[in-house]
Amino acid sequence: MKMKLSEIARRIGGEVQGDPDTEISGVAPFDQAAEGHLTLAAAPKFLKRIHDCRAGAAIVPRGFTTASLATLAAINPAVAFAKAIALFFPPPEIPDDISPGAFIGTGVRMGSPVSIGPSAVIGDRVSIGDRVRIHAGAVIEADAVIGDDVEIHPNVTIRYRCRIGSRVIIHAGTVIGGDGFGFSPDGKRYHKIPHTGIVQIDDDVEIGALNAIDRATFGQTWIQRGVKTDNLVHVAHNVTVGEDTLLVAQVGIAGSVTIGRHAILAGQAGVAGHLTIGDNAVVGPQAGVGRPVPEGEVVSGSPEMPHKLWLRVQRIIPGLPELKKKISELEKRIAKVEENG
Amino acid sequence: MKMKLSEIARRIGGEVQGDPDTEISGVAPFDQAAEGHLTLAAAPKFLKRIHDCRAGAAIVPRGFTTASLATLAAINPAVAFAKAIALFFPPPEIPDDISPGAFIGTGVRMGSPVSIGPSAVIGDRVSIGDRVRIHAGAVIEADAVIGDDVEIHPNVTIRYRCRIGSRVIIHAGTVIGGDGFGFSPDGKRYHKIPHTGIVQIDDDVEIGALNAIDRATFGQTWIQRGVKTDNLVHVAHNVTVGEDTLLVAQVGIAGSVTIGRHAILAGQAGVAGHLTIGDNAVVGPQAGVGRPVPEGEVVSGSPEMPHKLWLRVQRIIPGLPELKKKISELEKRIAKVEENG
Amino acid sequence: MKMKLSEIARRIGGEVQGDPDTEISGVAPFDQAAEGHLTLAAAPKFLKRIHDCRAGAAIVPRGFTTASLATLAAINPAVAFAKAIALFFPPPEIPDDISPGAFIGTGVRMGSPVSIGPSAVIGDRVSIGDRVRIHAGAVIEADAVIGDDVEIHPNVTIRYRCRIGSRVIIHAGTVIGGDGFGFSPDGKRYHKIPHTGIVQIDDDVEIGALNAIDRATFGQTWIQRGVKTDNLVHVAHNVTVGEDTLLVAQVGIAGSVTIGRHAILAGQAGVAGHLTIGDNAVVGPQAGVGRPVPEGEVVSGSPEMPHKLWLRVQRIIPGLPELKKKISELEKRIAKVEENG
């Protein structure tokens, strides 16, 4: 597959500098790019070394010029590069092909085209939109609803009545709609609280591999538009995750937490039950959140504290042995002064 | 489905106050309950607002009375409410129905009724009790034993020879009986230690989604009666988890740990190998347990310490920058005193 | 199955002391061993109690002698015992048997013997070596390459084009080759970065249950020869894990990290993106690595610090309340001295 730089500019936006007829046959990162490749040069460290770049062309920030190679100037070079990669690695066509090895229940509403792989199991009365790919071994239980342009990877489980929006990707092995971890203790044993609610996943969400997102006790666990989760994330019953929020790998969210829009929870962070995390909040890696986090706040540590305070505290912690010694010395000095006084 | 309050009382226990003929058509949490709903009002914050409640009836603690609505007084309102939910959301009937899309090995002992979904695979000589549901895509390897009234959700793997008791629920994607992480190093490489034991899961256990519970090197990894685990929990080889203990989401238990009865390990906590955690112990969220925890002890932090001490320590940590400044000031003051002396 | 001790010595190495004709019918740990068992007595605590041992024979360190029972003296007793267990629990034979319930794509290259279980799905143009077992429900997507002597457990997903070496074991539920967590933000939303690379797993690797190992943005995520991972491990896009390195349960490695050879990352540790961890480095349990770790270094804590420093710091942390009190007292004493001065 080859494309002229001008054609790429037409399709992903940006302004060509240098030869618009430069032939591009692939995309590659800065240090691996060779002749015919389009690369990304957005960070200053790459712009400084632009004359070393062996790519055929580079996507650069607006305002940057070079005579070394043809460029495509973009307002947001990283987004432009993501789009360029997608041009050269288009998703495979969706065959309208339900494998004879798939099991389809009764009363299923099937859009078109829909591809369903072998060993996949679609329960009764499931509704599937248009341009949907359900890969091998995925199980969609009864009465689930799947929107348009959805891709469900192998061995995913979507339990009964859960609702998935459009343009959603769910990676392999993930479980949507398991029972929440809810039990009533009688002092000796635990009595299971039936989970009567669902999981609702809105449009443009991407869920990583091996996530566990539990159904609500009542109502819904709600993953809102544009949320992206990494691998091995746990979302408990009745949680709401707001639009365009990121949950990085191995994050755990306890029951009934509400997370705002455009927040980021870094890897292995945990949030205790019933808390609210505001819009645009950032929770650091391995942080343990035990109190509400206001809008826009950045927190770190376990238990969490404001990130700037945490930075100062973390500079002191490794010095505690010295600090303790200093206090002992002070004690001796004051004792001596007292004696002499 | 409608039921009179008196009928509900007859089936779940408790004492009706107000009109025993109140018609109940569903259950709902306090703030979402509407006419015809039965709700739960156990916490003081709800009891104070009982007159705002729009439910048809409420389960309340014994001794609480109100003229606002009919009530069902229970010794343990939360347990009563869990039972009430189960009345209105009874588990589906179990058809005696082995899907033609399931694969059944030779010499399988099959109880009745048993439901097995499409793409499920039952190995040779597996024993399955009565009233068992094995959902789509689950794999039960050879010589495994499954008791009565068990539900195994989609895409679960139960490996060879493992033993599952009665009234056990295993949520989707979980793996029971993988090899333990055991290798003998020769200084350069690692030699695999074959894992010849099994996992034994006793009665009334519920295992969350995407758990990994490893088989023993010798003997058994043992999950005792009434244990409940949340999602993404790791239990290594030769661990014993005592009766009615809770393992919250993303907990990790290293090899040969013994946990007593009725303990609670909160989310993302970890326990180092070969330790003992006593009955009724509580391990806080994200705690890292590196020493034995005595019976009834509450520990927090990483490494763990008594919870009360941890609370005091955690109040000091964010003040360390101030404390350090204070020490510097003290140093200057004492230097001045020494000088003047 | 019975074997003379001399025969065992011949097959696993080591020197017989005592009766070489001692009949051995099984293997067992020290405290559970009975007549006819071969056991391991390597640690001093077991050697001290060797006369209590009821085994028929024991593997002991070279130079240790006893009259209590026959022994097999080995340079590395633990490795010898691992081999002895394998003698008595040999892996089952691999039938050349592709289940009629498996789904095989077109253009698949199949070695011999190969066993493929029911509900397993092999994509188009997959290449499978000799002596390979692919268990029930596993999904191998198109163009993947599997070497010789590989075992892939139930419900594993290996995505398109990933490459698996020889003598590799992949435990149940694991996902190899999911898309990396890579998005370009435009200030409002996130644009997916297509992941065009693969996962390459070299020879002699063992991957635990429910791991998520993501494919590279470009190039490869690379698990090198002899790596062993425990359960629920996350390895992000473009990570390299060096030869014979161990990743213990629930470890998380962020994108583009490079880990050297023979390193150990203990349970629940996390590593931030783009860092390098040197050969033979050790990262403690629950550690949070935010800076590069030099070769051979041992680090602990979150954020990480040298392990010896961490040990000293951890002894002080629980004493912080006392330390704070002491500082207050010093303050009062100095104030008094100042006053009197």
Side-chain angles (χ1 to χ4, degrees):
Chain A
M1 184 174 176
K2 280 194 179 188
M3 228 181 278
K4 290 188 174 170
L5 187 58
S6 56
E7 169 67 6
I8 294 173
R10 199 182 59 74
R11 291 175 66 175
I12 69 171
E15 194 186 331
V16 176
Q17 296 163 336
D19 182 2
D21 290 337
T22 308
E23 290 267 19
I24 301 298
S25 59
V27 283
F30 190 91
D31 285 320
Q32 288 153 42
E35 206 181 295
H37 284 153
L38 175 65
T39 192
L40 173 66
K45 67 172 175 174
F46 292 128
L47 293 174
K48 271 183 212 164
R49 293 168 47 215
I50 194 82
H51 49 274
D52 292 340
C53 186
R54 290 183 295 186
I59 298 177
V60 297
R62 273 207 187 176
F64 177 83
T65 56
T66 176
S68 307
L69 77 182
T71 59
L72 191 62
I75 298 177
N76 190 323
V79 170
F81 192 55
K83 290 177 181 171
I85 302 171
L87 274 188
F88 285 88
F89 294 87
E93 285 209 2
I94 303 166
D96 203 354
D97 177 17
I98 293 167
S99 164
F103 300 87
I104 313 293
T106 61
V108 172
R109 190 232 142 214
M110 196 77 79
S112 170
V114 166
S115 158
I116 303 184
S119 298
V121 178
I122 312 296
D124 296 343
R125 298 172 304 280
V126 166
S127 171
I128 298 175
D130 298 331
R131 295 171 303 282
V132 167
R133 278 176 288 182
I134 298 174
H135 289 262
V139 176
I140 320 285
E141 290 189 351
D143 301 301
V145 176
I146 314 284
D148 298 326
D149 301 287
V150 169
E151 182 160 19
I152 295 174
H153 283 281
N155 291 324
V156 162
T157 300
I158 298 179
R159 294 207 48 215
Y160 67 104
R161 290 203 286 120
C162 290
R163 306 178 71 88
I164 312 293
S166 291
R167 296 175 303 283
V168 169
I169 300 170
I170 300 180
H171 285 284
T174 279
V175 176
I176 307 286
D179 289 349
F181 191 66
F183 301 89
S184 292
D186 67 8
K188 285 187 193 160
R189 302 199 176 188
Y190 292 92
H191 298 260
K192 183 175 177 62
I193 301 174
H195 277 66
T196 72
I198 65 163
V199 174
Q200 167 152 343
I201 293 180
D202 290 348
D203 296 345
D204 300 304
V205 166
E206 184 164 346
I207 303 290
L210 298 170
N211 280 217
I213 303 182
D214 281 351
R215 66 196 311 119
T217 318
F218 295 104
Q220 60 186 20
T221 301
W222 191 7
I223 311 295
Q224 296 184 341
R225 187 198 50 72
V227 167
K228 315 293 182 192
T229 77
D230 200 343
N231 299 327
L232 292 162
V233 166
H234 162 73
V235 178
H237 52 163
N238 291 84
V239 166
T240 296
V241 183
E243 297 188 354
D244 299 305
T245 279
L246 304 184
L247 304 181
V248 182
Q250 297 175 317
V251 157
I253 313 290
S256 301
V257 164
T258 299
I259 302 175
R261 299 158 66 127
H262 228 287
I264 298 175
L265 280 75
Q268 299 184 331
V271 181
H274 296 271
L275 296 176
T276 296
I277 294 186
D279 295 348
N280 303 302
V282 177
V283 175
Q286 295 190 330
V289 178
R291 288 160 294 201
V293 177
E295 193 182 324
E297 187 107 357
V298 182
V299 299
S300 293
S302 176
E304 94 297 340
M305 60 187 82
H307 181 67
K308 283 183 183 171
L309 173 57
W310 179 84
L311 284 176
R312 293 170 60 205
V313 168
Q314 291 314 317
R315 276 193 294 268
I316 292 170
I317 298 266
L320 281 177
E322 288 311 304
L323 214 61
K324 195 183 173 184
K325 208 183 286 177
K326 190 174 279 183
I327 292 165
S328 294
E329 282 163 17
L330 284 180
E331 221 175 354
K332 281 180 206 152
R333 283 163 67 182
I334 191 129
K336 204 169 168 190
V337 169
E338 286 169 339
E339 221 170 85
N340 296 347
Chain B
M1 185 175 177
K2 280 194 178 184
M3 228 181 279
K4 289 188 176 170
L5 187 57
S6 55
E7 169 68 6
I8 294 172
R10 200 182 57 76
R11 290 174 67 174
I12 69 171
E15 194 186 330
V16 176
Q17 295 163 335
D19 182 1
D21 290 337
T22 308
E23 290 266 18
I24 301 298
S25 59
V27 283
F30 191 91
D31 285 320
Q32 288 153 42
E35 206 181 296
H37 284 152
L38 175 65
T39 192
L40 173 66
K45 67 173 174 175
F46 292 128
L47 294 174
K48 271 183 212 162
R49 293 167 48 214
I50 194 81
H51 49 275
D52 291 340
C53 185
R54 288 182 297 186
I59 297 177
V60 297
R62 272 207 187 179
F64 177 84
T65 55
T66 175
S68 306
L69 76 183
T71 59
L72 191 61
I75 297 177
N76 190 323
V79 170
F81 192 54
K83 290 177 180 171
I85 301 172
L87 274 188
F88 284 89
F89 294 87
E93 285 208 0
I94 303 166
D96 202 356
D97 176 18
I98 293 168
S99 165
F103 300 87
I104 314 293
T106 60
V108 172
R109 192 234 141 211
M110 197 77 79
S112 170
V114 166
S115 157
I116 302 184
S119 298
V121 178
I122 312 297
D124 296 344
R125 298 172 304 279
V126 165
S127 171
I128 298 176
D130 297 332
R131 295 170 304 282
V132 168
R133 278 174 288 182
I134 297 175
H135 289 263
V139 176
I140 321 286
E141 290 188 351
D143 301 301
V145 176
I146 313 283
D148 298 326
D149 302 289
V150 170
E151 182 160 21
I152 295 174
H153 284 281
N155 292 323
V156 162
T157 300
I158 297 179
R159 294 205 49 216
Y160 66 105
R161 292 203 287 121
C162 291
R163 306 177 70 87
I164 312 293
S166 291
R167 296 174 304 282
V168 169
I169 300 170
I170 300 180
H171 286 283
T174 279
V175 177
I176 307 287
D179 289 349
F181 191 65
F183 301 90
S184 293
D186 67 8
K188 286 185 191 160
R189 303 199 175 187
Y190 292 92
H191 298 260
K192 182 175 177 66
I193 301 173
H195 277 65
T196 71
I198 65 162
V199 174
Q200 168 153 343
I201 294 181
D202 290 347
D203 296 345
D204 300 305
V205 166
E206 183 164 347
I207 303 289
L210 298 169
N211 281 219
I213 304 182
D214 282 351
R215 67 196 309 117
T217 319
F218 295 104
Q220 59 185 20
T221 301
W222 192 6
I223 311 294
Q224 296 183 342
R225 187 197 51 71
V227 167
K228 315 293 181 189
T229 77
D230 201 344
N231 299 327
L232 292 161
V233 166
H234 163 72
V235 178
H237 51 163
N238 291 83
V239 166
T240 296
V241 183
E243 298 189 352
D244 299 306
T245 278
L246 304 184
L247 304 181
V248 181
Q250 297 175 318
V251 156
I253 313 291
S256 300
V257 165
T258 299
I259 302 176
R261 300 159 66 129
H262 229 285
I264 298 175
L265 280 75
Q268 299 184 331
V271 181
H274 295 270
L275 295 176
T276 296
I277 295 187
D279 295 349
N280 302 302
V282 177
V283 174
Q286 295 190 331
V289 177
R291 288 162 294 201
V293 178
E295 193 184 325
E297 187 107 355
V298 182
V299 299
S300 292
S302 176
E304 94 297 338
M305 61 187 82
H307 181 68
K308 283 183 183 171
L309 173 58
W310 179 84
L311 284 175
R312 292 170 62 205
V313 168
Q314 292 313 317
R315 275 194 294 267
I316 292 171
I317 297 265
L320 280 178
E322 289 311 304
L323 213 61
K324 193 183 174 184
K325 208 183 285 178
K326 189 173 281 184
I327 292 166
S328 295
E329 282 163 17
L330 284 181
E331 219 175 356
K332 283 180 205 152
R333 283 164 66 182
I334 191 131
K336 206 171 166 188
V337 168
E338 286 169 337
E339 221 169 87
N340 296 347
Chain C
M1 182 175 180
K2 280 195 179 186
M3 227 180 281
K4 289 187 176 172
L5 188 57
S6 55
E7 168 69 5
I8 294 173
R10 200 183 58 76
R11 292 174 67 174
I12 69 172
E15 195 186 331
V16 176
Q17 297 163 335
D19 182 3
D21 290 338
T22 307
E23 290 267 20
I24 300 297
S25 59
V27 282
F30 191 91
D31 284 321
Q32 288 152 43
E35 204 180 295
H37 284 153
L38 175 65
T39 193
L40 173 66
K45 67 173 175 175
F46 292 128
L47 293 174
K48 272 184 212 162
R49 292 168 47 217
I50 195 80
H51 49 276
D52 291 340
C53 186
R54 289 182 293 185
I59 298 178
V60 297
R62 271 206 189 177
F64 178 85
T65 56
T66 177
S68 305
L69 76 181
T71 59
L72 191 62
I75 297 177
N76 190 322
V79 169
F81 191 54
K83 289 177 181 172
I85 302 172
L87 275 188
F88 284 88
F89 294 87
E93 285 208 1
I94 303 166
D96 203 355
D97 176 19
I98 293 168
S99 164
F103 300 87
I104 315 292
T106 60
V108 172
R109 191 233 142 213
M110 195 78 77
S112 170
V114 167
S115 157
I116 302 184
S119 297
V121 178
I122 312 297
D124 296 343
R125 298 172 305 280
V126 166
S127 171
I128 298 175
D130 297 332
R131 295 170 303 281
V132 167
R133 278 175 287 182
I134 298 175
H135 290 262
V139 176
I140 320 285
E141 290 189 351
D143 301 300
V145 176
I146 314 284
D148 298 328
D149 301 288
V150 169
E151 182 160 20
I152 296 174
H153 283 281
N155 291 322
V156 162
T157 300
I158 297 179
R159 295 206 48 214
Y160 66 105
R161 292 203 286 119
C162 290
R163 305 177 72 87
I164 312 293
S166 290
R167 297 175 303 283
V168 169
I169 299 170
I170 301 180
H171 286 283
T174 279
V175 177
I176 307 287
D179 289 350
F181 192 66
F183 300 90
S184 292
D186 68 8
K188 285 187 190 158
R189 301 198 177 189
Y190 292 91
H191 297 260
K192 181 175 178 64
I193 301 173
H195 277 65
T196 71
I198 64 162
V199 174
Q200 168 154 343
I201 293 181
D202 290 348
D203 296 346
D204 300 304
V205 166
E206 183 164 346
I207 302 290
L210 298 170
N211 280 217
I213 303 182
D214 282 351
R215 66 196 310 118
T217 318
F218 295 104
Q220 59 187 21
T221 302
W222 193 7
I223 311 296
Q224 297 183 343
R225 187 196 51 71
V227 167
K228 315 292 182 192
T229 77
D230 200 344
N231 299 328
L232 292 162
V233 166
H234 162 73
V235 178
H237 51 163
N238 292 84
V239 166
T240 296
V241 183
E243 297 188 353
D244 298 306
T245 278
L246 304 184
L247 305 181
V248 182
Q250 296 176 319
V251 157
I253 314 289
S256 300
V257 164
T258 299
I259 302 176
R261 300 158 67 130
H262 229 287
I264 298 174
L265 281 75
Q268 298 185 332
V271 181
H274 295 269
L275 295 176
T276 296
I277 295 186
D279 294 348
N280 302 303
V282 176
V283 174
Q286 295 192 331
V289 177
R291 287 161 296 201
V293 177
E295 195 183 323
E297 186 108 356
V298 182
V299 299
S300 292
S302 177
E304 94 296 339
M305 61 187 82
H307 181 68
K308 282 182 183 172
L309 173 57
W310 179 84
L311 283 176
R312 292 169 61 205
V313 168
Q314 291 315 317
R315 276 194 293 268
I316 292 171
I317 297 267
L320 281 177
E322 288 311 304
L323 214 61
K324 194 182 173 184
K325 208 183 284 176
K326 188 173 281 184
I327 292 166
S328 296
E329 281 163 17
L330 283 181
E331 218 175 357
K332 281 180 206 150
R333 283 163 67 182
I334 190 130
K336 205 171 169 187
V337 169
E338 286 169 338
E339 221 170 85
N340 295 348

